[in-house]
């Protein structure tokens, strides 16, 4: 990645800007989470100090009253007496209290994790100050992902516990279902734990990638680029030994990484194919003159087409023979240019990728 490719901005200036992004305090997310925390705490206190009130619509019921229950379209749902209305009010109050507590805990958890991740990122910044031979650098904040997953966890936790306890109350079934809902929320919180800022530095021998406050040095021969086709496409970087990938929102950075990986790995890929050695493209492998993954095996001599299917439901490559299809997500296929280059050279398959 040359200075000309990045305009007038020097690699050193790119690195300084990336480190400034890494060190910047996530004020927006912290303020947002703080407001949610205060709001949830206020609701929780109000529910803890409230008493159940039997109501028929907006009217407060008295002992001996009967309420004619009706659905949204006026359909009769039967009658509810005062005692039954009190029980329903108690269940609703319990559900509201637990739901507010769940949202409060989720907000506090995310708030603590966001600040902890920022502190860890700042502490990790010295790992990226060495710039000898630096060709380029870019930073990719992950705050939007954090907010989306927080909202998901809070919504799932709040709504599910409210509904479960309102319907089943403080019964064994209600408690069991509430525990399941909280466990699901805990899973979402774990998956959504803040990743902080990702920084990618480009050097002649390879890459330095800082993600989750940890630096990894990646040799060009071990690097993989992936693209989830769609509108717009979503790009990412991975490497041998890593589960998952790192999102790349900079189109220029991704294009240059893709070109460099293709240039460096293409000769070795051709040699390995000629020698009959397996070649791993993450979602599929070329092995024993066949396209292989856990779902099937298509000999290259029988491969007649590779197509792409992109719609609202999926974005997938389809490898097809007369009797079999292998479908893989476009976002899971590593270094697709190299794979399709080999297939064009060594098969007669029609490769249509648009």
């Amino acid at each position: 990645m040359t200075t000309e490719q990045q305009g007038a901005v020097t690699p050193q200036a790119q690195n300084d800007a990336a480190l400034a992004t890494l060190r910047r305090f996530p004020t927006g997310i912290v303020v947002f989470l703080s407001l949610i925390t205060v709001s949830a705490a206020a609701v929780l206190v109000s529910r803890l100090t409230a008493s159940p009130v039997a109501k028929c619509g907006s009217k407060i019921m008295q002992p001996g009253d009967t309420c004619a229950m009706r659905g949204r379209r006026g359909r009769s749902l039967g009658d509810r007496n005062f005692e039954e209305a009190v029980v329903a009010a108690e269940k609703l109050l319990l559900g509201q209290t637990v739901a507010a507590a769940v949202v409060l805990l989720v907000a506090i958890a995310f708030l603590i994790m966001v600040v902890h991740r920022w502190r860890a990122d700042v502490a990790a910044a010295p790992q990226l100050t060495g710039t000898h031979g630096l060709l380029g650098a870019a930073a990719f904040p992950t705050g939007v992902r954090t907010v989306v997953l927080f909202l998901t966890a809070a919504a799932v936790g709040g709504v599910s516990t409210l509904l479960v306890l309102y319907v089943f109350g403080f019964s064994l079934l209600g408690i069991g279902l509430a525990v399941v809902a909280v466990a699901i929320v805990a899973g979402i919180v774990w998956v959504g734990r803040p990743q902080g800022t990702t920084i990618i530095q480009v050097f002649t021998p390879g890459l330095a990638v800082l993600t989750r406050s940890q630096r990894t040095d990646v040799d060009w021969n071990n690097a993989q680029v992936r693209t989830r086709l769609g509108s717009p496409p979503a790009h990412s970087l991975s490497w041998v030994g890593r589960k998952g990938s790192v999102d790349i929102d900079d189109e220029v950075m991704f294009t240059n990484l893709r070109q460099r990986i293709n240039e460096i790995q293409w000769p070795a890929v051709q040699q390995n194919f000629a020698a009959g050695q397996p070649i791993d493209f993450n979602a599929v492998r070329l092995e024993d003159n066949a396209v292989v993954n856990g779902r099937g095996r298509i000999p290259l001599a029988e491969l007649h087409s590779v197509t792409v299917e992109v719609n609202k439901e999926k974005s997938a490559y389809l490898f097809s023979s007369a009797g079999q299809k292998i479908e893989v997500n476009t976002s899971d296929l590593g270094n697709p240019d190299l794979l399709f280059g080999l297939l064009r050279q060594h098969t007669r398959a029609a490769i249509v990728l648009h």
Side-chain angles (χ1 to χ4, degrees):
M1 185 177 298
T2 65
T3 302
E4 290 76 18
Q5 289 172 321
Q6 291 290 325
V9 182
T10 65
Q12 183 63 56
Q14 293 171 29
N15 198 61
D16 291 343
L19 290 175
T21 300
L22 181 78
R23 295 187 177 105
R24 187 179 303 125
F25 186 74
T27 304
I29 296 178
V30 169
V31 169
F32 171 73
L33 291 173
S34 298
L35 289 174
I36 298 295
T37 300
V38 172
S39 300
V43 172
L44 179 60
V45 171
S46 71
R47 295 298 85 196
L48 288 172
T49 57
S51 299
V53 178
K55 288 186 176 183
C56 181
S58 60
K59 180 182 176 182
I60 297 178
M61 296 176 65
Q62 302 297 329
D65 288 349
T66 300
C67 179
M69 306 294 293
R70 295 192 178 278
R72 291 184 178 180
R73 298 182 180 180
R75 184 169 60 89
S76 176
L77 301 177
D79 294 335
R80 173 185 287 174
N81 60 32
F82 175 76
E83 289 73 18
E84 292 171 335
V86 170
V87 172
E90 290 174 343
K91 289 181 178 179
L92 178 60
L93 182 58
L94 174 63
Q96 291 173 337
T97 302
V98 175
V102 169
V103 173
L104 176 61
L105 291 175
V106 170
I108 291 174
F110 268 89
L111 186 58
I112 292 173
M113 289 190 296
V114 165
V115 174
H116 173 75
R117 178 58 64 200
W118 170 73
R119 291 170 61 87
D121 276 354
V122 172
Q127 300 179 39
L128 300 176
T129 54
T131 58
H132 178 69
L134 182 69
L135 303 177
F140 307 99
T142 59
V144 173
R145 175 184 181 275
T146 299
V147 171
V148 169
L149 287 169
F150 160 71
L151 292 174
T152 301
V156 170
V159 173
S160 61
T161 52
L162 172 60
L163 291 177
V164 165
L165 294 176
Y166 178 63
V167 173
F168 299 102
F170 205 66
S171 64
L172 185 60
L173 179 58
I175 294 173
L177 292 175
V179 169
V180 171
V182 171
I184 293 172
V185 171
I188 297 174
V189 171
W190 174 254
V191 171
R193 63 196 188 281
Q195 297 181 358
T197 297
T198 295
I199 291 183
I200 298 176
Q201 291 180 318
V202 183
F203 296 92
T204 301
L207 304 166
V209 182
L210 184 81
T211 183
R212 293 191 186 275
S213 310
Q214 294 184 343
R215 170 175 169 153
T216 302
D217 292 313
V218 183
D219 187 275
W220 286 114
N221 288 303
N222 295 328
Q224 287 188 346
V225 288
R226 307 176 188 176
T227 296
R228 185 187 188 281
L229 300 179
S231 183
H235 306 303
S236 62
L237 170 72
S238 189
W239 52 89
V240 174
R242 176 177 174 82
K243 294 181 179 179
S245 58
V246 175
D247 293 338
I248 301 179
D249 300 327
D250 187 320
E251 192 72 34
V252 175
M253 166 70 83
F254 179 79
T255 299
N256 284 285
L257 290 178
R258 179 179 179 177
Q259 291 176 348
R260 194 167 186 87
I261 289 171
N262 289 344
E263 290 171 358
I264 292 175
Q265 293 192 21
W266 179 240
V269 165
Q270 288 180 301
Q271 290 175 6
N272 290 340
F273 182 86
Q277 298 179 1
I279 307 173
D280 190 3
F281 296 96
N282 190 57
V284 299
R285 303 184 308 279
L286 289 186
E287 184 177 287
D288 296 329
N289 285 315
V291 177
V292 181
N293 73 357
R295 301 173 185 172
R297 181 180 185 277
I298 300 178
L300 296 185
E302 299 176 14
L303 183 69
H304 67 68
S305 68
V306 180
T307 57
V308 64
E309 183 177 349
V310 178
N311 52 47
K312 292 182 179 180
E313 287 73 33
K314 64 181 177 180
S315 174
Y317 292 113
L318 298 175
F319 298 81
S320 303
S321 67
Q324 188 176 6
K325 287 186 178 181
I326 296 177
E327 178 179 312
V328 298
N329 293 330
T330 57
S331 58
D332 293 336
L333 190 64
N335 295 340
D337 293 344
L338 300 178
L339 171 61
F340 298 138
L342 287 174
L343 295 181
R344 287 189 175 98
Q345 277 192 350
H346 300 283
T347 74
R348 295 184 177 182
I351 301 176
V352 182
L353 304 177
H354 53 78

